[in-house]
Structures are given as C-alpha cells and as structure tokens.
Amino acid sequence: MTRGRVRWGRLVAGAFVAALLGLLAAAPAQAAGYRYWSFWDRDGSSWAYASQGPGTARPDDGAVQGFRFSVSEDSKDAAKPRGAGDFDTICAKTPAEDGRKRVALVIDFGTPGDAPDGETPPEPRTACARIADDATSADAIAAVAKPLRYGSNALLCAIADYPKSGCGEQVAGDGESEGAEKKASASEESGSGGPSVGLIAGVAAIAVLGAAALWQARRRRG
C-alpha cells in the first residue's frame, strides 16, 4: 500500500468520525422535567404564570386564579389550566359579602401522563372562594379544596389530596405533559418533525466521503 493511499484512508476515517459525531450532536436531548402544581393568574382571556406564590399573593375581589398539575421543565413550558376562567360564571352562586372578597379558582389535576404511578387525576373543576379581604391565594384554595399538603420548603404538593405522595420530584425526560404534546403537534404541523438540517448534512457528508473513497480505490487499482 502506498503512502498516498494510507494518507487518504486516514483522511476518510477521520472525516467519517467527525461526521458521525456531528450526527450524535444533532440528536435531540431529552430534558428532565418536574412534577408539580403550577399557579396562574387570569389576564383577560388568557392565563399568565403567577409572579408570586400562593402563600404571598393577595388577589383582589373578582380575581380568577388557576392551579395546574403537570410535568414541565420550567415556567416557560408549563401546562396552563384547562377550561374557561370566567369569574361571573364560577362565582354566580356565591353572593358577595361586606368585608370579604370572592376569588374564582380553576383547579386542573392534569392528564394521566402527568400522574404519578398508580394514581388517576380527578376531573378539572372550578370553585368560588369567599375569603377575608386580606387573605392570600393559599387561603382561597384551602377554603374550597382541602386537604392540602405542603413540603418542607412551603411548596404546594397536593390539592384535594392529589397526588397522595411526591412533591416537585424530577422525572425522566420522556415524561408526558400537555406542554410536550403541544410542542410535538406544532413540530409535526410545521414540518419540523422530520430529520434536522444537521442530521441531513451529516448523512450527506458520510455518503460523499464513501463515494470518494470508493472512486479513489478504483482509480488506484486501475
């Protein structure tokens, strides 16, 4: 074997390894998520992730707030409460009282994919909490959805005894949630669910290198 062929073989092998590493880097990583109750404020016709925890937030009379149990990486991909959040509808049968305020609550226990092993989420529900004027959102949820369970760091772990165990635990990256389902659906609709540009480029590079190596070998044999 000539030195030229040795050098060419090494070049092809090195390029192949580089392309293979590029393929591996292009593969999507599965990020871990957390299973917990998220807290939301109704902002007009949509939900906004609350800027305070329920233990410190003090909603005004007529406020609409939501709690959603799900698996998510962070607040940006957290699943929102499902269903309408209309104060007049939720609190229609709860008359106003002097010195007290009414807060409409949407309580969404999540999907079976969000649930801990062996547990089944109850159906989403709404409630109207009539509480003292200076009461917090934690007081509001306690008034309508006991028993509650809190962790040692004051994290709300369970509403209406759901879930029965666990509190903000980390779960595997393949844990299902509504947020993840929406991302997958959007990816399919936009056509981005197929191979990535990096993946296609890597495959093309390997194919080109293979063809070049074959051509060079035949040329030298000839």
Side-chain angles (χ1 to χ4, degrees):
M1 181 179 291
T2 66
R3 291 183 179 180
R5 292 180 67 182
V6 171
R7 286 197 299 270
W8 178 256
R10 289 176 178 175
L11 177 63
V12 171
F16 180 85
V17 171
L20 183 59
L21 291 175
L23 289 179
L24 295 176
Q30 289 187 336
Y34 297 87
R35 182 182 286 118
Y36 69 102
W37 279 100
S38 57
F39 177 47
W40 302 79
D41 287 316
R42 190 74 173 178
D43 183 10
S45 60
S46 61
W47 290 106
Y49 202 91
S51 59
Q52 299 184 63
T56 57
R58 298 183 186 276
D60 295 328
D61 179 68
V64 179
Q65 298 186 315
F67 292 83
R68 171 66 192 263
F69 189 77
S70 68
V71 174
S72 61
E73 293 177 39
D74 52 39
S75 61
K76 294 180 180 179
D77 83 328
K80 299 177 181 180
R82 294 169 294 176
D86 181 71
F87 176 83
D88 291 334
T89 300
I90 296 173
C91 289
K93 297 181 180 180
T94 305
E97 286 186 2
D98 290 340
R100 299 177 71 81
K101 61 185 177 184
R102 293 176 298 166
V103 178
L105 299 173
V106 177
I107 308 169
D108 189 339
F109 297 88
T111 68
D114 296 323
D117 291 343
E119 297 203 48
T120 301
E123 291 296 318
R125 69 194 199 201
T126 61
C128 185
R130 187 167 53 196
I131 51 180
D133 278 340
D134 62 347
T136 65
S137 301
D139 295 323
I141 192 67
V144 298
K146 289 182 178 180
L148 305 180
R149 178 167 56 84
Y150 285 90
S152 58
N153 56 357
L155 179 67
L156 179 58
C157 303
I159 295 176
D161 201 31
Y162 181 83
K164 294 186 178 298
S165 62
C167 190
E169 67 272 19
Q170 190 174 29
V171 298
D174 58 355
E176 296 180 358
S177 69
E178 186 181 67
E181 291 167 4
K182 286 182 177 178
K183 286 181 179 179
S185 177
S187 176
E188 291 172 0
E189 291 175 1
S190 65
S192 61
S196 67
V197 173
L199 184 62
I200 294 173
V203 172
I206 291 175
V208 170
L209 289 172
L214 180 61
W215 176 82
Q216 184 71 8
R218 288 178 176 176
R219 181 171 176 272
R220 291 190 177 278
R221 284 199 300 269

